[in-house]
């Protein structure tokens, strides 16, 4: 008895599976990113206030009172909130402020590459509009060291002293040639940018930066989650890309004037670099300490402090060392302000503003 020919069921071939999986993955990734960022905004509301610096706003948080005001500049890709262990303690003896660079933390993004000169101009406008008078003690971590050095060169009358926290160094390529560093991509910049943006929009970078590593012992779990959240947002990832490569800021910092006459403290990591080969890690540390020491000696008022027990993030590993250095510069500035001035001007004020 015949019931007719058996109809063959359609088979899922590999190309068909791929054709269906790709759009589904894109949709899931886009939903994941937007839902996660919406949740983060609810969980971590803005700390600080937004200040318009010309069509866009930067976020700044200040507490304490007194002068000189201390302003904290964060490292690559990190929000101002990463000074959470240091800023409240400094605010006990003077006004202390951290802020978010364009696109970081709770600040709005800016267009184009963002090297040290752009950052310095932004910070100068922010402090002026926010009504925070100088001169300032500027504290810069990592690449933030380039930024505050350039600020010092552009606006010398607005700077009382500098504290550089394990700062980046423009001479690292020649002085420590075997130091591991990121290499420029071989693909055309437009292609790299397009791929980078696609990975951001799909949540790939967010997944990869979800865990910043082990929580520093002194940082609370809630604060570490806030720092992690701010760092992995789409706009923060874009901002980090705008600050790369670091060689852009390095070249500008190399040409910045005024480091020779500004009171300067350079805090340097004391822990070896974390490589499996301990001999290699210790050798890199010795070279890094020497390089940072040479940076400190560029100022006639400079000194270096090697912080035992600290890695690159001294403000999280050994915040007391940063607080002590800031206090020293604040007290030095206050003492200088009470001394009689020669010919009506201090040594620092003889430096003229550069022509623009």
């Amino acid at each position: 008895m015949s019931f007719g020919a058996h109809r063959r069921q359609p088979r899922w071939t590999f190309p068909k599976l791929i054709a269906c999986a790709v759009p589904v993955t894109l949709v899931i990734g886009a939903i994941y990113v937007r839902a996660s960022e919406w949740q983060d905004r609810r969980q971590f509301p803005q700390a600080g206030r937004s200040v318009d610096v010309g069509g866009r706003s930067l976020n700044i948080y200040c507490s304490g009172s007194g002068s000189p005001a201390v302003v904290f500049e964060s490292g690559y890709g990190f929000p101002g909130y990463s000074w959470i262990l240091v800023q409240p303690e400094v605010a006990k003896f003077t006004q202390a402020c951290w802020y978010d660079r364009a696109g970081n933390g709770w600040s709005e993004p800016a267009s184009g590459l963002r090297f040290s000169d752009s950052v310095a101009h932004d910070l100068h406008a922010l402090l002026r509009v926010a009504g925070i008078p100088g001169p300032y003690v500027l504290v810069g971590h990592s690449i933030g060291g380039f930024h505050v050095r350039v600020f010092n060169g552009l606006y010398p009358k607005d700077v009382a002293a500098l504290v550089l926290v394990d700062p980046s160094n423009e001479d690292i390529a020649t002085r420590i040639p075997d130091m591991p560093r990121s290499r420029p991509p071989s693909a055309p910049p437009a292609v790299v940018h397009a791929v980078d943006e696609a990975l951001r929009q799909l949540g790939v970078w967010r997944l990869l930066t979800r865990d910043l590593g082990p929580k520093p012992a002194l940082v609370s779990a809630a604060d570490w989650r806030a720092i992690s959240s701010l760092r992995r947002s789409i706009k923060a990832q874009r901002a980090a890309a705008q600050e790369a490569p670091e060689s852009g800021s390095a070249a500008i910092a190399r040409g910045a004037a005024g480091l020779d006459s500004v009171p300067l403290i350079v805090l340097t990591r004391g822990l070896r670099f974390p490589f499996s080969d301990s001999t290699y890690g210790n050798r890199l540390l010795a070279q890094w300490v020497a390089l940072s020491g040479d940076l400190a000696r560029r100022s006639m008022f400079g000194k270096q402090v090697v912080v035992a027990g600290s890695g690159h993030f001294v403000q999280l590993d050994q915040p007391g060392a940063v607080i002590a250095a800031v206090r020293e510069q604040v007290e030095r500035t206050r003492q200088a302000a009470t001394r009689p001035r020669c010919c009506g001007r201090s040594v620092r004020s003889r430096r003229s503003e550069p022509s623009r």
Side-chain angles (χ1 to χ4, degrees), residues 37 62 69 157 252 355:
E37 296 209 349
C62 297
K157 292 181 180 178
I252 296 169
S355 59

Side-chain angles (χ1 to χ4, degrees), residues 15-260:
K16 287 182 178 180
L17 287 172
I18 294 296
C20 291
V22 169
V24 171
T25 302
L26 295 177
V27 171
I28 291 174
I31 293 174
Y32 159 71
V33 169
R34 281 145 187 81
S36 298
E37 296 209 349
W38 176 82
Q39 184 179 31
D40 283 353
R41 285 192 295 270
R42 286 175 57 88
Q43 188 175 2
F44 306 109
Q46 180 176 358
R49 62 188 176 105
S50 297
V51 177
D52 188 284
V53 293
R56 56 188 171 85
S57 67
L58 297 178
N59 180 66
I60 186 168
Y61 176 86
C62 297
S63 61
S65 61
S67 62
V70 177
V71 181
F72 296 94
E73 182 73 77
S74 302
Y76 178 76
F78 274 78
Y81 197 80
S82 58
W83 294 99
I84 189 65
L85 298 181
V86 174
Q87 185 272 341
E89 296 302 312
V90 172
K92 293 178 180 178
F93 55 85
T94 195
Q95 185 178 28
C97 306
W98 56 257
Y99 85 107
D100 295 315
R101 290 196 294 275
N104 286 288
W106 293 283
S107 287
E108 293 181 343
S111 60
L113 294 176
R114 305 292 299 167
F115 295 146
S116 290
D117 51 353
S118 300
V119 172
H121 291 314
D122 265 8
L123 178 56
H124 187 258
L126 172 64
L127 296 172
R128 176 179 53 81
V129 178
I132 303 167
Y136 314 103
V137 173
L138 298 181
V139 185
H141 171 244
S142 194
I143 196 173
F146 285 153
H147 301 336
V148 298
R149 284 171 52 191
V150 171
F151 187 106
N152 175 66
L154 291 171
Y155 309 105
K157 292 181 180 178
D158 290 331
V159 180
L162 299 177
V163 176
L164 305 183
V165 182
D166 210 42
S168 299
N169 195 298
E170 62 270 31
D171 294 324
I172 188 171
T174 55
R175 292 282 300 278
I176 316 180
D178 57 345
M179 175 75 81
R181 297 186 302 278
S182 58
R183 303 298 179 186
S186 56
V191 175
V192 174
H193 175 76
V195 172
D196 193 39
E197 182 63 22
L199 294 175
R200 277 195 289 270
Q201 294 293 338
L202 295 178
V204 175
W205 289 150
R206 183 181 180 89
L207 282 171
L208 293 177
T209 59
R210 185 170 184 82
D211 184 5
L212 293 182
K215 180 185 73 66
L218 299 178
V219 181
S220 71
D223 285 335
W224 193 238
R225 286 195 299 271
I227 293 170
S228 301
S229 166
L230 294 169
R231 190 165 183 253
R232 65 176 176 251
S233 71
I234 288 179
K235 69 182 182 70
Q237 292 167 6
R238 285 196 190 115
Q242 288 174 302
E243 290 190 22
E246 189 173 308
S247 57
S249 288
I252 296 169
R254 182 187 297 278
L259 195 63
D260 59 331

Side-chain angles (χ1 to χ4, degrees), residues 85-86 218 267 307 314-326:
L85 298 181
V86 174
L218 299 178
L267 301 178
V307 185
V314 184
Q315 69 272 34
L316 300 178
D317 295 336
Q318 298 290 338
V322 182
I323 296 165
V326 171

